[in-house]
């Protein structure tokens, strides 16, 4: 029967159309996991596969295999931990140290070298440089090849070493924090990294919990404490944790050693919201067993918010929840680098082809393969080594400019290798809490049906409260006999419309009583031996009172009642005390609490007023949950519509209802409150700008669905007119299928989906879901775990192939930031963990606009221009070499000797070419005013095979003109060819830089003249050295010849012929098809 049903269900699924792409797909589950990947792998096979990355794949797989053999993964096991006896552990557990480094002392040099030589470009240079050790192939001096290569490697190694050292220092700081460890002899100070499984650790208030522990006891009388988990899951509300009652009941701390007890804990897992274990005390009769759940645990990286806690360590180091939820940092490589790598492969093929042509034209005479290799080396300048040097220095320059920009103060560039990525982003994945919002709740509005109070009219409420309480107390003192009347016959009297004053009184009292907030007093004197009596007598002074609750909006409500005069001064498990504006204390007994759950979306409390013995049931909850419970009234409906229109004000509309009967029916609606979690400064314009720039924004948050939807609307992540499709919770394949079909029928609407539904859909319909979600203007994923966030980033990268950027501020965003192509961290309330792991860290969300529109744009455009220009510089000289060789009977003789070649790529042309990093096509103000300009960048048109081919043609044309011109014009001595052609070459390069530049900067002019000056000076001084000594054509040049008019006009003529046509073409192009931005600047 069972099998029949299953078949039946899948046949239903087959009937429904779920065809997303050309390929239909079968119904076998195993296919689902292979679908997307299979499509990627079958494309490349054969020779192309080997060239394009087969060898890299082979290398990496061998390395991975070796690594796996070296350190076999240890099986994670469940464990029994004896209290305070680490030596009783049978297993060896990992050290409790935090490690964020990529390398250690031994792997640093091999690791860095591997990262460098996995690029085709660098590998090619290594081979060329090594070939110079073979005498038959030796062409010039060794330094012409080894100096640039050595320089590149030195720069890279120094940069990596500095980054690595910074990481090491940050880790060391965390690992050397001191904690008190409890031993039989008393307290001992231990470093965080020396804590072992089984240790009893004491953690003070506001201290980070060093490892995963089971909570044994606390200094709080209630036997429970609050912890802040924002570094772990991004939720800012405090979590209530409960101590194991058996150990909490022990009279003194030292008694923990007099009992014989152990904790049994499950094996380490990823899930931060679940734990199973047992606590057993053996020496009592009978043995005590307590089951342990998530509320008895203290996870590492959380912070104690109240009291002092003592716990027994169960997981350390790599096995803690927080470490298991962070992924290893990968080395990020920019898209531009990959594109340039492709171009260098194309150049290499051209180089081989050219050499083959040369040898063929030679007629394969003599040792032709030796000549072939010599040609390869002669033309090796086609692929310029200086490309990497220039780009790396360029990246450093962009990083420096970003950090110096006073419009975005406090921005830090932590990964200097990928600033161009900022100009190519298509998807931005953002966290909500602390990134888009400030994480501070503020009470905004109180609505009483007929009258609504906003922030500006709160003083009226205050006056009403003061009056009503002073009247009340004057009455009770007047007739003190009737101070305890029987339950007021309020419910039996017909409902009269109460006065506004009494309604405000009731409403404020309800808000002050119906909550789960505890006031906490910081003892200023620090007296420890206070008796119970002294504590009651303690001054409930305002300056040292703070409120604690599991949700910040509850605190906002209680702080508001304090501001209008009714103050919560004391609370324990059974009673609550309020202070009136007149200073009297009202005491209420708590008879019953119905806690808030995410299902019921409401909480209730039954209290008894001690002065009147009146019992009241108060309840508050979300509007959706409460509307069915309260008595019908027209203004709730009205307010509902109003609150939807006014979403920017009410981020969270709480209904506070108070009642006379203690049942959840026919409750009397007292008031509605609006609490707002304020958005960060200028989040709306920033998101608006990013949307206009064609960036798709996804919000991934650990928060509740309602909150996430509200923030999405109020921050204009979803525009006012758009529909929102809330993806219903699904648990199996059939439901997922139906829900996906329902979603496909909607057009242009934002998607809101919860983490668990997302998991189900990804399991069965990964490709389909991603394809649909990518068409949405905005996507909100709520209730996401840290690993899910990273998983979504990876999915987007795999399916779309577009560049992703992740931005967040808490420890729970680290894995997402590291997985994205470009990670941005915000130094927020949730600590610095995210900003330290990120590639760029900023201080406010609004800075991201300038970072992408201005700096991203400039970095990409400049690097593209710089890269192509450096290639053009190499191509010109190779063309000249080719022309030279073909004229001189295909001799494999270098045209320019050692120092001229090194000088050409460095002293003579380096400054002007590098000054391209100061170029900008659009002023920053323009780029921010018209974010639409950013869309062009994502198409990658600044550096493509088309632009590259244009440069190749320019190079061939110029190289040919320069060499033929020099050959045609030279008269008596060959020497003059070298002098004329080289001088013309330098002039051409300087003019070409001037042609490429779009906006002049004074440094560019300086660079141009500096290079020209250097060249002229070297002509005068280095004539001995320049001699082509071995090719006996006499000295390189005679000063007499250089100073003649003939020399000058020949050089000028050649330069003009090589450059003028290009200037004319550029002018025509600007006139006939100007780029999009030139229309704006005119």
């Amino acid at each position: 029967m069972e099998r029949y049903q299953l078949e039946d269900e899948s046949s239903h699924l087959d009937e429904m159309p779920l065809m997303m792409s050309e390929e239909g797909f079968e119904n076998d589950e195993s296919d689902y996991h292979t679908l997307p990947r299979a499509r990627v792998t079958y494309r490349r096979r054969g020779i192309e596969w080997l060239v394009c990355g087969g060898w890299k794949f082979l290398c990496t797989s061998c390395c991975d295999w070796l690594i796996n053999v070296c350190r076999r993964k240890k099986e994670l096991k469940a464990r029994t931990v004896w209290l305070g006896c680490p030596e009783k552990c049978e297993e060896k557990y990992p050290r409790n140290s935090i490690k964020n480094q990529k390398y250690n002392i031994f792997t640093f040099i091999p690791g860095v070298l591997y990262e460098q030589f996995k690029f085709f470009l660098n590998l090619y240079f290594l081979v060329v440089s090594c070939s110079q050790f073979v005498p038959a192939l030796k062409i010039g001096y060794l330094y012409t090849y080894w100096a640039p290569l050595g320089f590149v490697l030195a720069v890279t190694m120094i940069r990596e070493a500095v980054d690595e050292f910074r990481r090491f220092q940050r880790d060391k700081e965390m690992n050397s924090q001191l904690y008190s460890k409890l031993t039989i002899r008393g307290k001992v100070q231990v470093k965080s990294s020396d804590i072992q499984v089984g240790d009893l650790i004491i953690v003070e208030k506001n201290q980070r919990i060093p490892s995963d522990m089971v909570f044994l006891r606390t200094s709080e009388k209630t036997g429970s404490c609050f912890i802040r988990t924002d570094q772990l899951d991004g939720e800012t509300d405090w979590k209530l944790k409960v101590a194991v009652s058996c150990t909490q009941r022990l009279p003194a701390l030292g008694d923990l050693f007099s009992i014989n007890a152990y904790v049994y804990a499950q094996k380490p897992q990823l899930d931060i919201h679940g734990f199973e274990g047992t606590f057993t005390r053996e020496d009592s009769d009978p043995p005590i067993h307590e089951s342990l759940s998530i509320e008895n645990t203290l996870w590492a990286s959380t912070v104690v918010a109240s009291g002092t806690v003592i716990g027994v360590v169960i997981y350390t180091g790599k096995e803690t929840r927080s470490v298991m939820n962070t992924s290893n940092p990968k080395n990020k490589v920019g898209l531009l680098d990959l594109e340039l790598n492709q171009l260098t492969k194309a150049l290499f093929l051209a180089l081989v082809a050219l050499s083959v042509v040369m040898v063929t034209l030679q007629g394969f005479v003599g040792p032709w393969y030796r000549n072939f290799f010599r040609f390869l080396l002669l033309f090796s300048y086609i692929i310029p080594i200086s490309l990497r040097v220039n780009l790396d220095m360029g990246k450093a320059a962009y990083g420096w400019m970003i950090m110096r920009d006073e419009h975005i103060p406090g921005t830090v560039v932590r990964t200097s290798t990928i600033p161009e990525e900022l100009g190519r982003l298509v998807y931005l994945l953002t966290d909500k809490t602390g990134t888009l919002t400030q994480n501070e709740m503020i009470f905004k509005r109180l609505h009483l049906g007929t009258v609504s109070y906003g922030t500006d009219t709160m003083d009226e409420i205050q006056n009403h409260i003061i009056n009503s309480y002073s009247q009340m107390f004057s009455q009770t003192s007047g007739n003190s006999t009737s101070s305890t009347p029987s339950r007021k016959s309020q419910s039996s009297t017909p409902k009269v419309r109460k006065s506004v004053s009494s309604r405000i009184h009731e409403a404020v009292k309800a808000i002050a009583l119906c909550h789960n907030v505890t006031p906490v007093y910081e003892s200023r004197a620090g007296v420890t031996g206070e008796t119970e009596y002294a504590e009651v007598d303690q001054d409930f002074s305002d300056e040292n009172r703070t409120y604690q609750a599991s949700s910040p909006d509850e605190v906002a409500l209680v702080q508001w009642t304090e501001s209008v005069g009714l103050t919560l001064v004391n609370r324990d498990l059974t009673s609550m005390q309020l202070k009136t504006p007149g200073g009297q204390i009202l005491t209420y007994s708590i008879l019953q609490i119905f806690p808030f759950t995410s299902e019921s979306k409401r909480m209730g409390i039954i209290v008894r007023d001690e002065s009147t013995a009146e019992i009241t049931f108060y309840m508050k909850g979300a509007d959706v949950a409460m509307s069915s419970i309260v008595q019908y009234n027209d203004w709730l409906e009205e307010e509902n519509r109003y609150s939807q229109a006014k979403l920017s004000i009410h981020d969270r509309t709480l209904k506070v209802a108070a009642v006379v009967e203690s049942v959840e029916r026919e409750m009397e609606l007292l008031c509605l409150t609006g609490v707002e979690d304020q958005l960060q400064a200028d989040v709306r314009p920033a998101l608006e700008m990013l949307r206009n720039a064609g960036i798709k924004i996804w919000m991934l948050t650990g928060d509740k669905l309602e909150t996430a939807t509200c923030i999405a609307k109020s921050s204009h992540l979803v525009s006012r007119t758009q529909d929102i499709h809330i993806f219903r919770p699904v648990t199996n394949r059939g439901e997922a299928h139906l829900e996906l079909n329902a979603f496909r029928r909607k057009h242009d609407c934002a998607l809101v989906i919860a983490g668990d539904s997302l998991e189900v859909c990804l399991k069965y319909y990964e490709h389909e879901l991603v394809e649909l979600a990518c068409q949405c203007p905005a996507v909100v994923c709520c209730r996401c775990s840290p690993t899910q966030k990273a998983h979504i980033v990876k999915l987007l990268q795999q399916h779309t192939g577009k560049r992703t950027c992740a931005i967040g501020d808490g420890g729970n965003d680290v894995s997402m930031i590291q997985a994205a192509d470009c990670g941005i961290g915000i130094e927020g309330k949730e600590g610095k963990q995210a900003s330290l792991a990120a590639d760029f860290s900023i201080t406010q969300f609004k800075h991201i606009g300038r970072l992408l529109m201005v700096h991203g744009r400039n970095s990409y455009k400049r690097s593209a221009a710089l890269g192509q220009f450096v290639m053009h510089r190499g191509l010109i000289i190779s063309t000249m070499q080719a022309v030279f060789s073909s004229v001189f009977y295909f001799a494999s003789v270098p045209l320019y000797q050692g120092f001229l070649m090194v000088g050409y790529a460095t002293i003579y042309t380096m400054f002007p070419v590098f000054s391209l990093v100061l170029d900008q096509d659009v002023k920053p103000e323009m780029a921010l005013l018209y974010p639409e300009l950013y869309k062009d960048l994502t198409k990658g048109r600044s550096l493509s095979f088309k632009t590259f081919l244009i440069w190749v043609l320019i190079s061939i044309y110029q190289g040919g003109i320069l060499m033929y011109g020099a050959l045609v014009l030279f008269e008596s001595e060959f020497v003059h060819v070298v002098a004329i052609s080289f001088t013309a070459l330098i002039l051409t390069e300087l003019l070409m830089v001037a042609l490429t530049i779009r906006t002049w900067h004074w440094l560019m002019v300086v660079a141009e003249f500096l290079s020209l000056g250097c060249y002229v000076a070297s002509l005068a001084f280095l004539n001995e050295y320049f001699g082509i000594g071995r090719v006996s054509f006499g000295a390189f040049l005679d000063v007499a010849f250089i100073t003649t008019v003939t020399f000058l006009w020949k050089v000028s003529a050649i330069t003009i012929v090589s450059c003028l046509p290009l200037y004319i073409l550029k002018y025509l192009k600007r006139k006939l098809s100007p780029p999009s931005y030139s229309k704006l600047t005119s």
Side-chain angles (χ1 to χ4, degrees):
M1 183 61 201
E2 185 66 32
R3 201 167 138 220
Y4 170 71
Q5 272 181 325
L6 279 175
E7 283 171 7
D8 194 46
E9 181 178 330
S10 60
S11 63
H12 274 315
L13 293 183
D14 282 345
E15 288 159 23
M16 301 172 200
L18 187 67
M19 300 283 284
M20 308 283 311
S21 43
E22 309 77 78
E23 301 112 83
F25 50 87
E26 310 72 75
N27 226 5
D28 178 24
E29 295 213 359
S30 65
D31 290 347
Y32 282 64
H33 305 294
T34 55
L35 255 180
R37 273 164 220 109
R39 287 179 199 167
V40 182
T41 43
Y42 64 68
R43 290 183 196 148
R44 300 179 170 172
R45 276 290 171 265
I47 303 291
E48 190 208 351
W49 176 81
L50 199 72
V51 176
C52 286
W55 63 276
K56 193 194 297 186
F57 171 74
L58 292 172
C59 292
T60 42
S61 51
C62 292
C63 291
D64 290 346
W65 178 78
L66 272 171
I67 289 168
N68 284 340
V69 169
C70 291
R71 50 168 201 222
R72 283 270 155 78
K73 272 278 158 60
K74 219 179 73 186
E75 190 71 15
L76 298 173
K77 296 197 184 100
R79 56 198 59 187
T80 301
V81 180
W82 290 84
L83 265 56
C85 308
E87 62 281 352
K88 276 196 189 175
C89 294
E90 51 268 15
E91 289 278 323
K92 192 172 182 307
Y93 298 116
R95 282 189 69 217
N96 191 39
S97 55
I98 293 172
K99 186 167 184 289
N100 285 317
Q101 288 160 265
K102 288 184 193 168
Y103 312 105
N104 59 31
I105 291 177
F106 302 107
T107 57
F108 179 70
I109 290 180
V112 175
L113 289 179
Y114 169 72
E115 286 299 327
Q116 283 307 302
F117 289 126
K118 78 178 182 195
F119 281 112
F120 178 76
L121 187 70
N122 295 6
L123 191 73
Y124 165 78
F125 272 109
L126 187 66
V127 174
V128 168
S129 305
C130 291
S131 71
Q132 290 300 292
F133 289 120
V134 181
L137 301 179
K138 189 161 189 267
I139 281 186
Y141 300 103
L142 272 181
Y143 68 79
T144 52
Y145 290 96
W146 279 99
L149 185 66
F151 180 71
V152 177
L153 289 179
V155 169
T156 315
M157 284 208 166
I158 290 168
R159 201 183 57 215
E160 278 291 321
V162 169
D163 284 356
E164 193 64 6
F165 183 67
R166 285 196 192 133
R167 281 191 214 104
F168 167 72
Q169 281 185 310
R170 290 203 297 268
D171 291 346
K172 193 174 166 192
E173 192 183 330
M174 293 293 268
N175 288 330
S176 52
Q177 284 180 351
L178 290 176
Y179 291 89
S180 306
K181 168 174 145 184
L182 207 60
T183 60
I184 299 181
R185 296 177 199 79
K187 293 182 190 177
V188 189
Q189 292 284 310
V190 287
K191 274 194 200 155
S192 166
S193 56
D194 296 337
I195 291 174
Q196 295 169 304
V197 173
D199 280 346
L200 296 176
I201 301 292
I202 303 173
V203 186
E204 304 291 335
K205 183 173 173 179
N206 290 334
Q207 230 184 345
R208 186 182 70 88
I209 292 174
S211 57
D212 290 357
M213 312 198 292
V214 166
F215 184 15
L216 297 180
R217 45 182 301 140
T218 169
S219 58
E220 303 280 291
K221 289 196 294 297
T222 49
S224 59
C225 79
F226 284 105
I227 62 167
R228 295 201 292 270
T229 59
D230 43 23
Q231 285 294 325
L232 191 63
D233 57 11
E235 295 187 26
T236 50
D237 44 350
W238 294 2
K239 305 284 185 297
L240 188 72
K241 297 288 179 179
V242 183
V244 176
S245 57
C246 169
T247 47
Q248 178 67 26
R249 284 198 306 265
L250 294 174
L253 257 186
D255 296 341
L256 284 172
F257 285 99
S258 61
I259 66 170
N260 192 9
Y262 63 85
V263 169
Y264 173 78
Q266 65 184 134
K267 69 173 198 279
Q269 282 176 333
L270 277 172
D271 180 20
I272 51 177
H273 299 299
F275 173 74
E276 290 164 16
T278 53
F279 175 89
T280 309
R281 180 174 172 181
E282 287 191 331
D283 55 359
S284 62
D285 196 42
I288 300 174
H289 294 286
E290 273 190 57
S291 72
L292 303 176
S293 69
I294 186 71
E295 59 180 22
N296 307 109
T297 58
L298 304 167
W299 294 144
S301 297
T302 55
V303 177
V304 180
S306 65
T308 306
V309 303
I310 291 126
V312 58
V313 177
I314 50 171
Y315 307 124
T316 51
K318 292 195 215 77
E319 297 177 341
T320 58
R321 293 290 202 266
S322 64
V323 175
M324 290 179 80
N325 268 295
T326 47
S327 47
N328 287 332
K330 65 177 200 290
N331 277 333
K332 297 187 181 181
V333 179
L335 189 58
L336 187 94
D337 294 333
L338 297 173
E339 288 169 343
L340 284 170
N341 204 26
Q342 294 296 340
L343 294 182
T344 45
K345 284 177 189 167
L347 284 174
F348 177 68
L349 294 176
L351 164 70
V352 175
L354 188 58
S355 306
V356 171
V357 169
M358 283 297 190
V359 176
T360 315
L361 290 175
Q362 236 183 3
F364 292 106
V365 223
W368 62 270
Y369 47 88
R370 200 183 89 184
N371 288 341
F372 173 68
F373 271 109
R374 282 182 69 92
F375 276 123
L376 273 185
L377 294 171
L378 273 180
F379 298 139
S380 68
Y381 280 96
I382 285 188
I383 304 179
I385 178 94
S386 50
L387 181 61
R388 287 308 298 260
V389 186
N390 276 310
L391 284 178
D392 281 356
M393 282 162 49
K395 288 170 196 236
Y398 310 141
W400 187 77
M401 288 174 200
I402 292 174
M403 299 219 244
R404 285 290 304 273
D405 188 346
E406 62 263 15
H407 295 282
I408 46 174
T411 304
V412 184
V413 179
R414 294 187 198 279
T415 308
S416 49
T417 50
I418 53 168
E420 300 93 0
E421 289 292 89
L422 293 171
R424 311 287 299 272
L425 303 173
V426 182
Y427 289 98
L428 177 74
L429 299 105
T430 162
D431 174 41
K432 177 188 75 73
T433 325
T435 304
L436 296 178
T437 61
Q438 287 179 12
N439 219 344
E440 288 171 359
M441 300 292 172
I442 288 170
F443 188 93
K444 280 287 189 183
R445 196 164 278 269
L446 178 73
H447 199 300
L448 298 165
T450 49
V451 50
S452 163
Y453 293 96
T455 37
D456 41 355
T457 48
M458 292 297 179
D459 47 343
E460 289 184 28
I461 299 182
Q462 200 170 347
N463 296 336
H464 280 303
I465 294 291
I466 291 171
N467 294 338
S468 64
Y469 272 108
S470 55
Q471 282 170 14
M472 228 177 80
F473 277 100
S474 60
Q475 283 171 7
T476 49
S477 55
N479 50 356
S480 51
T481 47
S482 65
S483 61
T484 330
S486 60
R487 286 191 58 179
K488 294 252 177 75
S489 53
Q490 208 178 354
S491 46
S492 53
T493 53
K495 283 274 159 56
V496 198
R497 198 137 213 194
K498 294 196 224 140
S499 69
V500 172
S501 185
S502 69
R503 276 165 51 219
I504 290 179
H505 177 103
E506 283 295 317
V508 174
K509 189 165 80 178
I511 299 174
L513 288 173
C514 181
H515 54 68
N516 220 334
V517 183
T518 316
V520 177
Y521 294 92
E522 306 284 328
S523 56
R524 282 164 304 174
V527 185
T528 43
E530 282 183 18
T531 53
E532 292 291 303
Y533 175 71
E535 200 155 55
V536 175
D537 213 40
Q538 196 182 32
D539 57 333
F540 290 133
S541 59
D542 296 342
E543 59 268 13
N544 57 359
R545 181 192 312 111
T546 50
Y547 292 114
Q548 284 183 353
S550 61
S551 112
D553 19 345
E554 288 215 302
V555 176
L557 290 172
V558 176
Q559 278 171 341
W560 174 78
T561 62
E562 179 182 0
S563 72
V564 294
L566 196 60
T567 313
L568 172 71
V569 288
N570 192 15
R571 171 176 185 145
D572 52 37
L573 294 177
T574 55
S575 71
M576 223 183 307
Q577 290 176 321
L578 302 179
K579 188 168 77 173
T580 63
Q584 291 91 354
I585 303 282
L586 307 172
T587 307
Y588 292 87
S589 309
I590 302 173
L591 305 180
Q592 184 66 49
I593 292 186
F594 307 102
F596 181 91
T597 62
S598 49
E599 287 74 49
S600 68
K601 298 194 179 60
R602 56 180 181 264
M603 72 154 291
I605 187 168
I606 303 180
V607 293
R608 181 175 67 225
D609 185 343
E610 291 296 311
S611 60
T612 60
E614 188 179 301
I615 295 178
T616 321
F617 176 27
Y618 290 109
M619 209 164 138
K620 72 171 175 196
D623 41 6
V624 279
M626 301 294 282
S627 47
S628 60
I629 295 168
V630 297
Q631 293 169 343
Y632 173 75
N633 54 7
D634 45 4
W635 60 273
L636 176 58
E637 297 306 310
E638 221 170 280
E639 176 66 10
N640 246 333
R641 289 200 292 278
Y642 165 77
S643 71
Q644 272 151 15
K646 278 280 195 199
L647 254 170
S648 54
I649 289 186
H650 304 256
D651 276 353
R652 211 155 286 145
T653 317
L654 295 168
K655 299 296 166 294
V656 179
V659 241
V660 193
E661 303 85 359
S662 56
V663 253
E664 280 198 3
R665 288 285 163 270
E666 290 297 299
M667 299 184 93
E668 179 192 342
L669 182 63
L670 284 180
C671 63
L672 291 97
T673 62
V675 177
E676 178 181 0
D677 179 359
Q678 286 194 306
L679 295 173
Q680 282 209 8
D682 296 338
V683 161
R684 289 183 194 131
L687 287 175
E688 203 88 7
M689 179 195 290
L690 294 173
R691 258 219 313 278
N692 292 340
I695 296 175
K696 294 194 171 143
I697 304 168
W698 290 33
M699 185 166 91
L700 313 179
T701 170
D703 220 323
K704 301 187 276 297
L705 190 120
E706 290 84 2
T707 323
T709 321
C710 281
I711 296 281
K713 281 185 187 161
S714 64
S715 65
H716 294 197
L717 175 71
V718 178
S719 59
R720 286 287 167 83
T721 50
Q722 266 166 11
D723 287 338
I724 291 187
H725 176 83
I726 295 182
F727 205 88
R728 286 210 310 278
V730 295
T731 48
N732 57 29
R733 187 168 163 195
E735 290 177 3
H737 188 118
L738 290 166
E739 196 52 35
L740 276 170
N741 271 340
F743 175 46
R744 181 163 331 94
R745 296 189 198 102
K746 300 263 184 98
H747 287 293
D748 189 50
C749 68
L751 170 67
V752 179
I753 184 168
D756 34 12
S757 309
L758 186 72
E759 281 291 290
V760 176
C761 293
L762 290 180
K763 188 172 167 192
Y764 300 117
Y765 298 113
E766 180 181 290
H767 186 71
E768 285 59 34
L769 179 72
V770 178
E771 205 168 307
L772 279 175
C774 288
Q775 292 161 6
C776 293
V779 178
V780 177
C781 301
C782 48
R783 286 269 169 238
C784 277
S785 68
T787 29
Q788 260 176 337
K789 290 185 179 185
H791 186 65
I792 293 170
V793 174
K794 288 181 186 130
L795 275 179
L796 277 178
Q797 288 168 339
Q798 280 167 11
H799 283 272
T800 62
K802 300 278 197 298
R803 303 320 262 175
T804 55
C805 169
I807 176 168
D809 71 324
N812 59 322
D813 306 316
V814 169
S815 41
M816 159 172 91
I817 285 173
Q818 286 175 342
D821 296 301
C822 165
I824 300 179
I826 295 185
E827 294 196 10
K829 289 229 167 34
E830 300 188 13
K832 286 201 174 175
Q833 207 168 341
S835 73
L836 292 176
D839 305 310
F840 302 90
S841 74
I842 54 181
T843 49
Q844 280 180 314
F845 185 80
K846 63 177 178 183
H847 292 165
I848 195 174
R850 189 175 174 90
L851 192 65
L852 301 188
M853 302 302 131
V854 178
H855 293 290
R857 178 188 188 84
N858 286 344
S859 302
Y860 170 56
K861 287 268 192 181
R862 289 162 177 175
S863 281
L866 184 64
Q868 294 181 101
F869 202 92
V870 173
M871 284 179 175
H872 151 255
R873 189 170 74 182
L875 272 164
I876 274 199
I877 208 155
S878 298
T879 311
M880 292 172 75
Q881 175 72 51
V883 174
F884 171 78
S885 289
S886 50
V887 170
F888 285 94
Y889 314 109
F890 308 105
S892 51
V893 177
L895 167 59
Y896 300 128
Q897 277 300 320
F899 192 80
L900 280 187
M901 286 309 301
V902 175
Y904 169 65
T906 53
I907 295 176
Y908 302 148
T909 59
M910 186 172 78
F911 300 114
V913 171
F914 188 66
S915 70
L916 286 172
V917 303
L918 299 167
D919 188 20
Q920 55 180 19
D921 54 351
V922 180
K923 288 203 169 65
E925 298 73 39
M926 276 296 177
L928 289 169
L929 194 58
Y930 300 105
E932 290 77 9
L933 289 171
Y934 188 86
K935 280 182 193 165
D936 287 351
L937 301 183
T938 51
K939 295 171 187 156
R941 288 187 182 152
S942 302
L943 175 72
S944 59
F945 269 105
K946 183 183 157 191
T947 57
F948 173 63
L949 281 172
I950 293 172
W951 274 109
V952 171
L953 294 174
I954 290 174
S955 310
I956 291 173
Y957 165 75
Q958 289 188 331
I961 292 285
L962 291 172
M963 204 59 222
Y964 272 118
L967 289 171
V968 169
L969 294 177
F970 96 94
E971 288 146 16
S972 51
E973 297 169 62
F974 169 72
V975 171
H976 297 164
V977 174
V978 177
I980 292 172
S981 63
F982 196 76
T983 311
L985 173 65
I986 299 290
L987 290 174
T988 301
E989 281 297 290
L990 296 181
L991 286 171
M992 283 302 293
V993 172
L995 177 71
T996 315
I997 285 171
R998 287 165 289 215
T999 319
W1000 282 88
H1001 186 283
W1002 63 271
L1003 276 172
M1004 294 174 172
V1005 185
V1006 172
E1008 292 267 346
F1009 284 113
L1010 184 70
S1011 292
L1012 196 57
C1014 281
Y1015 180 61
V1016 174
S1018 64
L1019 281 185
F1021 292 117
L1022 293 173
N1023 54 356
E1024 299 304 315
Y1025 188 81
F1026 274 139
I1028 309 181
R1030 293 182 306 142
V1031 191
S1032 53
F1033 286 113
F1036 167 49
L1037 37 84
D1038 37 16
V1039 182
F1041 176 66
I1042 295 179
T1043 47
T1044 56
V1045 181
T1046 356
F1047 176 77
L1048 293 175
W1049 81 256
K1050 286 179 184 175
V1051 169
S1052 310
I1054 295 172
T1055 312
I1056 286 170
V1057 173
S1058 78
C1059 289
L1060 196 62
L1062 295 171
Y1063 268 90
I1064 294 167
L1065 282 172
K1066 180 179 178 183
Y1067 179 74
L1068 289 174
K1069 185 169 181 269
R1070 284 306 286 261
K1071 275 278 167 270
L1072 299 173
S1073 68
S1076 52
Y1077 56 82
S1078 62
K1079 297 167 192 153
L1080 301 174
T1081 47
S1082 53

